[in-house]
Amino acid sequence: IAQNSALSDVFLPVSTGGNAVNYVEVSNLSNRELTAQAYIYDGAGNQIGGMLSLRLAAYAQQHIPAGARLGNGASGMMRIIASENISAYSMYYFDDAYAHLVAMYGVGHWNPSICNNITGSYNLFLGMYNWLKLFNPTGVYQYGTLRVNSPSSGITTRSVILPPYGAVDLGLHQYSEYGTAVNSY
């Protein structure tokens, strides 16, 4: 294997929506040191800042403050190209006015060669908001169809257009846009 051949090319959503603090956790899955390059793109597909160079020892982990590059209320994606196999998670943390952690969630990396037809769910019980984060890991425009099935209004269909390396957050809790309702899933 060539010294600089990319064995791992992964993509993750990044966002500071809802006042989230967003870190990307990158783990080296190999018994050798790895080098990696990370790129952050905003929702319009523009690269933010320069390339981030990473160097991780065998089985080591590094946290990247992705949200700090995005700015408040923004969404985008991160691409990581590594010399060895990696695992990566985009972690979102939410604090209250007293800096107490009130919620958190994580999203694992995605490899675009896996599939292009994705199914998921939303949950609007307990006064929750649900945001669907979509991103385009390719260098060309992507056109898609979003279908939201709600018990109150049936299937609502929306077209989605994402620019190259672009991203968007869709508020599935917005009844007028997606036909969803409070206390539904």
Side-chain angles (χ1 to χ4, degrees):
I1 297 174
Q3 180 74 9
N4 293 323
S5 67
L7 295 178
S8 195
D9 190 3
V10 299
F11 301 85
L12 301 112
V14 292
S15 176
T16 55
N19 294 320
V21 175
N22 183 204
Y23 284 89
V24 171
E25 299 175 356
V26 182
S27 299
N28 181 355
L29 300 178
S30 96
N31 62 358
R32 298 184 298 239
E33 178 179 86
L34 73 74
T35 59
Q37 297 80 41
Y39 304 88
I40 298 176
Y41 299 89
D42 65 15
N46 301 309
Q47 185 178 331
I48 300 172
M51 174 191 68
L52 300 167
S53 294
L54 308 174
R55 185 176 217 87
L56 280 81
Y59 305 113
Q61 184 182 68
Q62 184 171 346
H63 295 218
I64 302 167
R69 286 196 170 207
L70 278 178
N72 293 332
S75 290
M77 69 162 224
M78 178 181 277
R79 178 181 188 183
I80 304 171
I81 304 168
S83 62
E84 298 287 338
N85 286 321
I86 62 169
S87 174
Y89 284 86
S90 190
M91 301 300 298
Y92 302 87
Y93 302 92
F94 300 88
D95 296 341
D96 64 13
Y98 304 102
H100 298 122
L101 182 66
V102 294
M104 61 86 55
Y105 71 94
V107 177
H109 70 264
W110 185 70
N111 182 324
S113 65
I114 295 173
C115 70
N116 63 4
N117 187 3
I118 301 168
T119 303
S121 64
Y122 68 91
N123 183 337
L124 298 178
F125 281 88
L126 303 174
M128 291 191 285
Y129 294 95
N130 270 200
W131 293 92
L132 174 62
K133 297 177 182 315
L134 299 175
F135 62 92
N136 177 2
T138 73
V140 297
Y141 275 88
Q142 295 294 315
Y143 304 87
T145 302
L146 173 66
R147 291 181 183 88
V148 179
N149 189 358
S150 171
S152 61
S153 61
I155 296 177
T156 301
T157 303
R158 297 282 179 262
S159 294
V160 179
I161 302 171
L162 290 170
Y165 303 111
V168 67
D169 282 348
L170 305 175
L172 297 183
H173 53 275
Q174 298 168 336
Y175 176 77
S176 62
E177 183 71 21
Y178 300 102
T180 55
V182 172
N183 294 329
S184 69
Y185 57 89

